[in-house]
Amino acid sequence: MILDNKLNITHQIELAKAEEKISKQKAKQLFDSGDIAKLEIGTFAGLAFIHAYLFDDIYDFAGKIRDVNIAKGNFRFAPLMYLDASLKHIDTMPQSNFDEIIEKYVEMNIAHPFREGNGRATRIWLDLILKAEIKQVVDWNQVDKEDYLSAMQRSVVKDLEIKALLKQALTDQIDDRALFMKGIDVSYYYEGYSEFKTEEL
Ligand SMILES: Nc1ncnc2c1ncn2[C@@H]1O[C@H](COP(=O)(O)OP(=O)(O)OP(=O)(O)O)[C@@H](O)[C@H]1O
Ligand SMILES: [Mg+2]
């Protein structure tokens, strides 16, 4: 089944390509315009801003809380019934050190507030918290795709693996443009998108 989209595309492969290209251009713009410095750190409002920024040209649901239940593998993300309460709770979670920030990230992943594009938007959100609170970001090039996805699957039960994996990839290069652009490419690669290089768009 293909998602309804503003581009009126009806073929999945074509939609995936257009989505990758347009939203990567937006990710680049988010950084280069300085808009990235304006958003709220560590709240659902901040995450919704990122999601809307990336996907507004493509989906009506950009930046909006989903209205269907979703699952991945055999894990069901937060049931709609509890989603609002969960997001309010996450807003109040502390974020003053690495462990607290990853715990918050894990909870936001469990919430999975959007219909599509959660992984990509939430990794940008995570890096902004790390940057603001501990003056470091993840160098996603140092995080293997299979290791990452298996640690995220595991994180709903135990967060030790994702903490260890992301900790060894921390860098002090928090304002490095090339690192940000490459991080977007890696983040998209995790989700199966690797047609375009953000830097070149
Ligand atoms: N089985 C799982 N249990 C918990 N979290 C998972 C699982 N599988 C994937 N994830 C996490 O969810 C993220 C994205 O998953 P998913 O594809 O469902 O979201 P999405 O909304 O389609 O986002 P995107 O389009 O960016 O991939 C992954 O990057 C990972 O962090
Ligand atoms: Mg997806």
Side-chain angles (χ1 to χ4, degrees):
M1 189 221 64
I2 184 164
L3 289 169
D4 282 342
N5 61 84
K6 294 183 176 180
L7 310 170
N8 296 316
I9 292 174
T10 52
H11 290 93
Q12 185 53 49
I13 294 170
E14 194 192 336
L15 176 61
K17 268 195 194 172
E19 191 202 290
E20 179 185 352
K21 187 173 183 189
I22 294 167
S23 62
K24 277 185 173 175
Q25 284 170 333
K26 290 302 191 69
K28 188 181 186 183
Q29 186 189 328
L30 178 64
F31 188 95
D32 286 338
S33 64
D35 290 340
I36 197 163
K38 295 177 192 158
L39 62 96
E40 202 173 79
I41 305 293
T43 64
F44 172 68
L47 177 62
F49 180 93
I50 297 167
H51 193 271
Y53 205 98
L54 298 184
F55 299 112
D56 215 15
D57 288 350
I58 309 162
Y59 300 117
D60 284 329
F61 60 71
K64 297 192 185 123
I65 298 179
R66 62 181 156 84
D67 54 12
V68 290
N69 284 313
I70 53 176
K72 187 117 197 176
N74 43 29
F75 184 71
R76 287 170 179 280
F77 296 108
L80 273 186
M81 228 182 131
Y82 303 116
L83 187 50
D84 276 321
S86 164
L87 293 172
K88 284 200 178 74
H89 167 69
I90 294 167
D91 276 2
T92 70
M93 288 179 74
Q95 52 187 39
S96 59
N97 58 49
F98 177 80
D99 280 5
E100 286 180 355
I101 294 167
I102 301 305
E103 285 156 23
K104 194 161 179 166
Y105 174 64
V106 164
E107 286 306 311
M108 189 59 94
N109 180 61
I110 291 170
H112 241 66
F114 310 110
R115 178 66 188 81
E116 165 65 42
N118 291 283
R120 291 166 287 165
T122 309
R123 280 186 288 278
I124 296 174
W125 180 81
L126 167 64
D127 268 331
L128 290 175
I129 309 176
L130 291 168
K131 178 178 170 175
E133 301 287 344
I134 63 168
K135 310 284 175 254
Q136 291 187 300
V137 291
V138 176
D139 177 356
W140 295 100
N141 288 291
Q142 307 302 321
V143 182
D144 175 77
K145 175 176 178 173
E146 302 312 323
D147 291 348
Y148 172 76
L149 290 174
S150 96
M152 286 306 290
Q153 272 180 37
R154 176 75 178 151
S155 73
V156 304
V157 181
K158 224 173 185 334
D159 60 21
L160 291 179
E161 288 165 29
I162 191 64
K163 281 177 175 165
L165 188 65
L166 297 183
K167 191 159 212 170
Q168 55 86 34
L170 290 175
T171 170
D172 298 331
Q173 291 173 274
I174 57 176
D175 293 313
D176 190 306
R177 182 175 182 277
L179 194 89
F180 176 85
M181 302 299 164
K182 272 193 244 152
I184 297 294
D185 289 342
V186 174
S187 176
Y188 274 64
Y189 165 71
Y190 294 159
E191 313 296 349
Y193 302 89
S194 52
E195 282 287 316
F196 303 98
K197 283 205 169 75
T198 305
E199 182 76 73
E200 294 167 6
L201 290 169

